[in-house]
Amino acid sequence: TVPDPYEVVANGTLVEVRDEGDGRTFVWEAPAPMAPYLVTFHAADLVFERTTGPGGLPILHACPPSLACGAGSVFEEVPAMIAAFEERFGPYPFASFGGTVLPEDSLNAALETQTMVLYDRRALSEATVAHELAHQWFGDSVGIERWRDIWLNEGFARYAEYLWLEETEGPAAYAQAMDRLYAGQETAARPGRPPLLIGDPGPDHLFAAAVYTRGALTLHALRLRVGDETFFAILRAWSARYGGATATTADFVALAEELSGEDLDDFFDAWLFRPELPPLP
């Protein structure tokens, strides 16, 4: 319940707005399971932009009046992003999607709050929108059972940025981007820096850059190892099998081995639990 002229967005779907005389009550309903850190609401002077995605999926973006949320904005491609990711990850796991932008530059980040992503306007970019959308599958629908498995969230979402690049600019652009990412990771792994094992980075390094970048490279390497058909079957099965629940790195390894028919223990050990950067397959 907020005074005029504020609007309120939150997780899920807006089901009722009640006039309270000197203000309004906004009732949002989010029936899907949700981790506590993904709960949000944002009360502000906001302009709503509504559109639909595949299958009529309701999409709502809320922006301060000084920022466009519709055509020509970074959100314009969201319906196409959802369609592209559904092909690769399986059906979008919730009943709605959207995002809200803070009116002040106070966060300098974005957070994958479930179905209603929170953005600082300085963090807005097409890659960030793709990243946070991918989190709806990886991190939101499928949660992590232990914080040490954070690469299952952040490595997957970072990799989705490159999948969107592949969708919009083609396989050559994707391959060049992954080569640059690998070369940069080699530089970051130079001697003299303390090792960081992304399969268990420790509580002080859960959101270290390497968790994102080497996590993405781990998925790229897995794709090269097992081939596109099996790789995307693994990602779709991950969402289908663990959606609405939590899972671990061991679960992902077991699923990859099940669907590929390969023993991948050494592969994942090298990429997730060793400091040295392995060669790409």
Side-chain angles (χ1 to χ4, degrees):
T1 301
V2 294
D4 292 328
Y6 294 114
E7 308 280 349
V8 178
V9 292
N11 311 90
T13 304
L14 180 63
V15 295
E16 186 182 1
V17 181
R18 297 197 298 265
D19 190 348
E20 307 289 358
D22 59 349
R24 291 178 295 170
T25 294
F26 294 76
V27 181
W28 287 78
E29 184 177 82
M34 190 184 323
Y37 77 98
L38 298 174
V39 177
T40 194
F41 76 90
H42 181 202
D45 183 7
L46 296 168
V47 175
F48 290 178
E49 292 283 351
R50 291 179 171 87
T51 186
T52 56
L57 178 77
I59 299 172
L60 170 66
H61 287 100
C63 291
S66 60
L67 183 68
C69 263
S73 76
V74 295
F75 300 122
E76 184 175 17
E77 295 298 324
V78 164
M81 285 182 185
I82 294 172
F85 287 168
E86 282 193 323
E87 289 183 13
R88 293 159 175 81
F89 308 150
Y92 177 75
F94 301 111
S96 64
F97 181 66
T100 185
V101 183
L102 298 178
E104 304 295 336
D105 295 337
S106 55
L107 186 64
N108 195 27
L111 183 63
E112 63 271 19
T113 38
Q114 191 162 305
T115 72
M116 182 58 67
V117 175
L118 182 66
Y119 299 94
D120 185 293
R121 63 195 305 164
R122 285 182 296 179
L124 278 179
S125 70
E126 195 168 307
T128 300
V129 173
H131 181 109
E132 304 306 334
L133 171 59
H135 268 309
Q136 305 307 304
W137 284 266
F138 305 110
D140 291 15
S141 175
V142 181
I144 51 171
E145 189 172 309
R146 311 170 304 181
W147 281 110
R148 72 182 63 176
D149 296 319
I150 190 66
W151 85 278
L152 291 170
N153 292 5
E154 300 303 346
F156 283 52
R158 175 60 59 83
Y159 184 65
E161 298 176 33
Y162 296 99
L163 292 179
W164 178 242
L165 178 70
E166 184 177 29
E167 173 73 15
T168 56
E169 298 187 24
Y174 166 84
Q176 291 169 4
M178 299 312 298
D179 287 345
R180 288 193 299 270
L181 188 65
Y182 185 86
Q185 194 73 11
E186 280 190 309
T187 302
R190 66 181 183 268
R193 292 194 178 187
L196 191 153
L197 310 180
I198 67 165
D200 187 3
D204 295 330
H205 302 288
L206 287 175
F207 298 100
V211 173
Y212 293 66
T213 55
R214 184 151 164 175
L217 281 169
T218 300
L219 293 170
H220 175 58
L222 179 63
R223 182 179 177 181
L224 294 175
R225 169 74 180 261
V226 302
D228 278 17
E229 183 177 351
T230 298
F231 175 74
F232 288 111
I234 292 167
L235 296 191
R236 289 189 293 269
W238 181 247
S239 275
R241 185 170 301 187
Y242 294 105
T246 59
T248 66
T249 294
D251 292 323
F252 184 74
V253 173
L255 179 63
E257 291 185 326
E258 174 190 331
L259 295 187
S260 69
E262 296 187 38
D263 183 345
L264 297 170
D265 286 350
D266 289 345
F267 171 88
F268 281 107
D269 183 65
W271 279 96
L272 300 177
F273 299 104
R274 302 286 179 185
E276 303 83 8
L277 187 65
L280 288 169

